[in-house]
């Protein structure tokens, strides 16, 4: 468990076309063309409107359509039932992947093979907080801080110069209602005063650090709480010092083994058992695939966790290590992919490292450290035939992606967010947001700032208020502070989504979701993606009845 931070690459984007849902199984959409179906739906619901003679007529028309829409907003339209539902256990594709070409499967451990309860974030938070008070001499009153699971999401950025914790969109702009100084949300006026514009330029990006892995929840919360303490106490502080101290404390509780000992002392509290994991790994072995484990965690922690996770499925003589051809612990990713560190054979009984050179991997041995260069020389496994599963987009997946391996991002929160997106209540608010956005666009294209009457301004205020209400309602369904992980309140993909596009060939919530696909399946990119493959946009036409 080590950390790698990366600044947001700016000025980059992806080619983006129209969207169609990904073909998935088990009662969810399969080959469903969202574009075609919604076009037919819009045809049935469309209202013929005469041409406008002038700007005043157009404003009156917008007012009329808005009043009609408000009446229709009173009920969820039945047409929502025809919308496709995405599979929470689906595999979503950024780059085409043929599974029959994959011969080697590699896995990270934490939050990939092993999933944890939210209690782990509380444990990390409390241990790091104690370290800051006891070792860094932070005020004793900080010991009263409590981890708040409702505050952070993954993929936030921290401005080390200004002390702001923020959510960015795909293009590097700050989420208008997603920037916090401590626990206080900044207003849009404050954002403009601080940055001049919501878009983060290259110079400003140098001061940002990304919080991307699943352990960053406790880190983001502790940073915000420490900033809030200094603000409330009216004490001067350097925002970069707070980040450095929190990050050092988080690193310490991992490297010292405090977290590992806490988890193994009470695995029932922290580890989530999953019977499908063993079935998935065994199915790969039965198909003749090679498996390896590559993790930054120490072996004793991995061994204790895997024993607990599979104790209900294994016999007395079975061992989880029999599933893997190679086991590598304390790999020190991401340096593993670029360094030339040698492998060391690890004696788990004596807790010692051998001094002999490692020039072959044996199934009954455990290895420490090492590097990608030596790994490829020993295994002779070629890049395109290897897929690596990991949860950290930088430490786990960036190196393999550049080395030619295929990559699978394991994003645990994906399952919950897709379930929310499938709910009629969410899609109802999304459609309301889209129709109001459309009316606002037409309003601004018609009404000049210098010629707006009182009636025009009243309409503009009502539209803005209704749009904000729909936006806030959707946001609260995911996270009260920052909204959804993958999209912003305005419907843009988040910066976190950008990194998924960049480093993950496919992404899903758990490795065992691959059980739902044939071993020779061709996982292909939908031909008309507009946003993330798992996301469906509800059109405003649903309300034009």
């Amino acid at each position: 468990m080590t950390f790698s931070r990366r600044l947001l690459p700016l000025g980059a984007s992806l080619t983006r076309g129209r969207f169609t849902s990904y073909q998935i199984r088990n009662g969810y959409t399969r080959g469903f063309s969202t574009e075609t179906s919604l076009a037919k739906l819009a045809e049935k619901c469309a209202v013929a409107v005469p041409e406008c003679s002038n700007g005043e007529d157009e404003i009156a028309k917008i007012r009329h359509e808005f009043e009609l829409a408000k009446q229709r907003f009173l009920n969820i339209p039945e047409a929502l039932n025809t919308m496709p539902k995405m599979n929470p256990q689906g595999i979503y594709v950024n780059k085409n992947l043929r599974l029959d070409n994959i011969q080697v499967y590699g896995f990270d451990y934490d939050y990939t093979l092993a999933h944890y309860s939210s209690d782990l974030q509380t444990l990390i938070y409390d241990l790091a907080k104690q370290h800051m008070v006891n070792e860094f001499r932070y005020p004793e009153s900080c010991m009263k801080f409590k981890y708040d699971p409702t505050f952070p999401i993954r993929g936030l950025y921290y401005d080390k110069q200004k002390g702001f914790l923020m959510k960015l969109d795909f293009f590097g702009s700050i989420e208008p209602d997603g920037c916090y100084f401590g626990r206080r949300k900044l207003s849009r006026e404050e954002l403009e005063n601080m940055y001049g514009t919501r878009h983060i330029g290259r110079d400003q990006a140098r001061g940002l650090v990304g919080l991307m892995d699943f352990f960053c929840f406790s880190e983001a919360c502790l940073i915000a709480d420490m900033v809030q303490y200094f603000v409330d106490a009216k004490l001067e502080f350097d925002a970069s010092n707070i980040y450095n101290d929190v990050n050092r404390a988080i690193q310490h509780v991992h490297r010292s083994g405090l977290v590992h000992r806490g988890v193994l002392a009470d695995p029932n509290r922290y580890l989530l058992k999953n019977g499908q994991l063993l079935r998935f790994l065994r199915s790969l072995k039965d198909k003749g695939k090679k498996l390896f484990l590559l993790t930054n965690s120490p072996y004793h922690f991995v061994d204790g966790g895997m024993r607990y996770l599979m104790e209900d499925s294994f016999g007395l003589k079975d061992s989880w290590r029999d599933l893997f051809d190679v086991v590598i612990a304390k790999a020190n990713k991401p340096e593993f992919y670029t360094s030339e560190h040698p492998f060391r054979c690890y004696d788990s009984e004596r807790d010692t490292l051998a001094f002999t050179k490692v020039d072959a991997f044996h199934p009954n041995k455990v290895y420490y450290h090492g590097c990608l260069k030596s790994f490829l020389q020993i295994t002779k496994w070629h890049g395109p035939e290897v897929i690596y599963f990991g949860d950290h987009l930088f430490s786990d997946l960036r190196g393999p992606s550049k080395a030619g391996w295929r990559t699978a991002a394991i994003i645990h929160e994906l399952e919950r967010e897709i379930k929310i997106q499938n709910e009629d209540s969410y899609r109802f608010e999304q459609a309301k947001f889209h129709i109001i956005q459309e009316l606002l666009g037409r309003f601004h294209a018609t009404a000049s700032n210098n010629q707006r009457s009182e009636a025009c301004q009243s309409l503009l205020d009502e539209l803005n208020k209704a749009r904000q209400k729909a936006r806030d309602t959707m946001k609260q369904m995911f996270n009260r502070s920052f909204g959804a992980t993958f999209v912003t309140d305005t419907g843009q993909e988040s910066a976190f989504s950008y990194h998924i596009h960049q480093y993950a060939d496919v992404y899903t919530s758990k490795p065992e979701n691959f059980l739902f696909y044939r071993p020779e399946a061709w996982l292909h990119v939908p031909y008309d993606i507009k946003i993330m493959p798992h996301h469906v946009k509800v059109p405003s036409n649903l309300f034009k009845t």
Side-chain angles (χ1 to χ4, degrees):
M1 298 182 194
T2 58
F3 297 80
S4 174
R5 303 306 190 201
R6 181 174 172 83
L7 302 184
L8 174 70
L10 299 174
S13 62
L14 300 178
T15 303
R16 306 161 82 185
R18 302 296 296 257
F19 175 81
T20 186
S21 60
Y22 179 66
Q23 295 182 3
I24 45 184
R25 305 160 102 181
N26 299 331
Y28 293 90
T29 59
R30 182 177 177 84
F32 186 104
S33 174
T34 308
E35 179 183 358
T36 303
S37 300
L38 296 182
K40 290 180 180 177
L41 190 59
E43 254 179 51
K44 296 178 181 178
C45 300
V47 178
V49 181
E51 292 288 334
C52 296
S53 59
N54 54 49
E56 290 183 2
D57 288 346
E58 176 65 14
I59 293 298
K61 177 182 165 187
I62 293 171
R63 162 63 75 181
H64 177 68
E65 291 187 21
F66 183 43
E67 293 301 327
L68 288 177
K70 285 194 289 186
Q71 293 300 314
R72 293 164 188 151
F73 289 164
L74 298 176
N75 297 296
I76 296 178
E78 292 184 6
L80 277 177
N81 295 326
T82 68
M83 291 289 296
K85 291 187 182 295
M86 306 309 288
N87 186 356
Q89 287 83 41
I91 299 172
Y92 296 93
V93 187
N94 293 322
K95 299 175 187 175
N96 291 346
L97 176 65
R98 293 186 60 172
L99 293 182
D100 56 352
N101 290 339
I102 303 298
Q103 303 303 319
V104 183
Y105 285 72
F107 299 91
D108 183 33
Y109 175 69
D110 294 297
Y111 283 107
T112 301
L113 293 179
H115 285 283
Y116 299 93
S117 71
S118 59
D119 288 335
L120 179 62
Q121 300 297 337
T122 301
L123 176 65
I124 296 171
Y125 179 96
D126 289 342
L127 290 172
K129 173 186 66 180
Q130 292 170 14
H131 187 73
M132 294 182 71
V133 172
N134 295 335
E135 300 299 327
F136 301 160
R137 297 297 184 262
Y138 274 69
E140 189 70 28
S141 58
C142 293
M143 292 296 292
K144 298 178 182 178
F145 295 168
K146 301 291 184 183
Y147 174 67
D148 180 4
T150 67
F151 177 69
I153 62 171
R154 181 153 46 157
L156 299 177
Y157 284 81
Y158 180 70
D159 188 330
K160 294 195 294 182
Q161 271 70 52
K162 296 180 173 66
F164 300 154
L165 193 65
M166 66 186 72
K167 179 181 177 183
L168 301 182
D169 70 14
F170 194 92
F171 303 102
S173 294
I174 303 172
E175 172 80 83
D177 294 315
C179 184
Y180 282 75
F181 187 54
R183 289 305 195 94
R184 182 180 68 85
K185 183 170 69 176
L186 270 65
S187 68
R188 301 190 183 199
E189 292 74 20
E190 287 176 307
L191 280 178
E192 288 185 8
N193 291 336
M194 290 293 179
Y195 292 98
T197 173
R198 287 198 299 110
H199 184 74
I200 297 294
R202 290 186 180 275
D203 291 340
Q204 293 167 323
R206 294 190 182 98
L208 300 186
V209 61
L211 308 176
M212 294 291 163
D213 62 4
F214 215 97
F215 295 109
C216 73
F217 289 82
S218 48
E219 184 174 13
C221 192
L222 189 53
I223 288 172
D225 288 342
M226 287 298 180
V227 169
Q228 190 63 51
Y229 167 80
F230 281 98
V231 170
D232 292 342
K234 296 181 172 57
L235 298 173
E236 291 188 6
F237 66 96
D238 186 327
S240 64
N241 287 338
I242 288 185
Y243 168 76
N244 292 334
D245 288 345
V246 170
N247 185 253
R248 285 167 56 204
I250 295 284
Q251 295 264 14
H252 168 77
V253 299
H254 286 89
R255 291 173 176 169
S256 66
L258 289 172
V259 170
H260 303 146
R261 290 193 290 273
V263 170
L264 294 182
D266 193 0
N268 190 54
R269 178 179 179 182
Y270 297 108
L271 280 164
L272 302 177
K273 286 192 175 184
N274 180 5
Q276 295 300 309
L277 175 61
L278 176 60
R279 181 184 162 203
F280 171 55
L281 297 177
R282 277 184 168 162
S283 71
L284 294 177
K285 295 294 288 184
D286 292 343
K287 296 183 185 84
K289 307 298 184 182
K290 300 293 185 181
L291 275 66
F292 70 92
L293 181 66
L294 178 66
T295 176
N296 285 353
S297 292
Y299 175 74
H300 74 88
F301 178 66
V302 176
D303 182 53
M306 291 293 282
R307 287 175 185 268
Y308 172 78
L309 291 172
M310 298 186 175
E311 65 183 359
D312 298 332
S313 305
F314 275 150
L316 293 176
K317 296 182 179 180
D318 293 324
S319 170
W320 66 268
R321 278 169 51 178
D322 296 335
L323 298 168
F324 294 91
D325 297 271
V326 183
V327 174
I328 302 168
K330 299 197 77 169
N332 198 31
K333 294 175 293 181
E335 284 77 11
F336 177 89
Y337 300 111
T338 56
S339 73
E340 295 194 4
H341 294 157
F343 282 102
R344 303 282 297 273
C345 189
Y346 175 71
D347 187 329
S348 58
E349 293 183 0
R350 299 180 180 180
D351 190 26
T352 57
L353 295 174
F355 296 97
T356 54
K357 181 179 180 180
V358 175
D359 52 15
F361 292 134
H362 302 284
N364 60 335
K365 299 290 186 181
V366 176
Y367 301 91
Y368 267 27
H369 311 317
C371 64
L372 178 63
K373 180 180 178 180
S374 297
F375 182 83
L376 297 177
Q377 289 174 345
I378 294 171
T379 62
K380 309 301 183 188
W381 291 338
H382 302 290
E385 68 178 1
V386 181
I387 187 170
Y388 186 68
F389 292 71
D391 73 295
H392 197 303
L393 299 176
F394 299 150
S395 291
D396 290 333
L397 303 184
R398 183 177 60 191
S401 178
K402 291 182 177 181
W405 289 0
R406 310 310 302 270
T407 54
I410 302 303
I411 307 169
H412 192 58
E413 56 267 50
L414 176 68
E415 188 169 328
R416 172 181 175 269
E417 295 208 356
I418 289 180
K419 288 178 179 178
I420 292 173
Q421 291 174 181
N422 282 341
E423 294 176 2
D424 283 353
S425 57
Y426 173 81
R427 295 181 171 201
F428 178 55
E429 295 297 330
Q430 191 185 46
K432 286 166 63 175
F433 175 82
H434 290 160
I435 195 169
I436 296 167
Q437 187 86 330
E438 178 184 310
L439 293 174
L440 275 167
R442 286 167 49 193
F443 178 94
H444 287 296
T446 302
S448 167
N449 288 334
N450 299 325
Q451 298 176 343
R452 289 178 184 172
S453 64
E454 185 176 334
C456 279
Q457 188 60 45
S458 175
L459 174 59
L460 177 61
D461 292 342
E462 286 185 55
L463 287 169
N464 280 328
K465 184 177 180 180
R467 179 179 62 172
Q468 188 63 42
K469 183 178 179 181
R471 181 185 291 169
D472 290 343
T473 301
M474 286 188 289
K475 178 178 182 177
Q476 294 295 325
M477 293 181 183
F478 295 99
N479 175 278
R480 68 183 186 188
S481 302
F482 297 100
T485 303
F486 303 93
V487 293
T488 66
D489 298 348
T490 57
Q492 293 281 358
E493 297 105 317
S494 64
F496 181 66
S497 293
Y498 170 86
H499 294 303
I500 296 173
H501 275 294
Q502 192 173 23
Y503 298 125
D505 294 344
V506 298
Y507 62 98
T508 188
S509 61
K510 299 185 293 288
E512 53 270 27
N513 291 339
F514 276 70
L515 283 170
F516 300 121
Y517 294 77
R518 299 186 311 276
E520 67 279 4
W522 176 30
L523 307 179
H524 63 86
V525 180
Y527 73 92
D528 55 357
I529 289 178
K530 188 172 183 180
I531 55 174
M532 295 292 285
H534 73 273
H535 196 79
V536 175
K537 277 194 173 180
V538 178
S540 59
N541 290 326
L542 291 182
F543 289 93
K544 293 184 178 179
T545 57

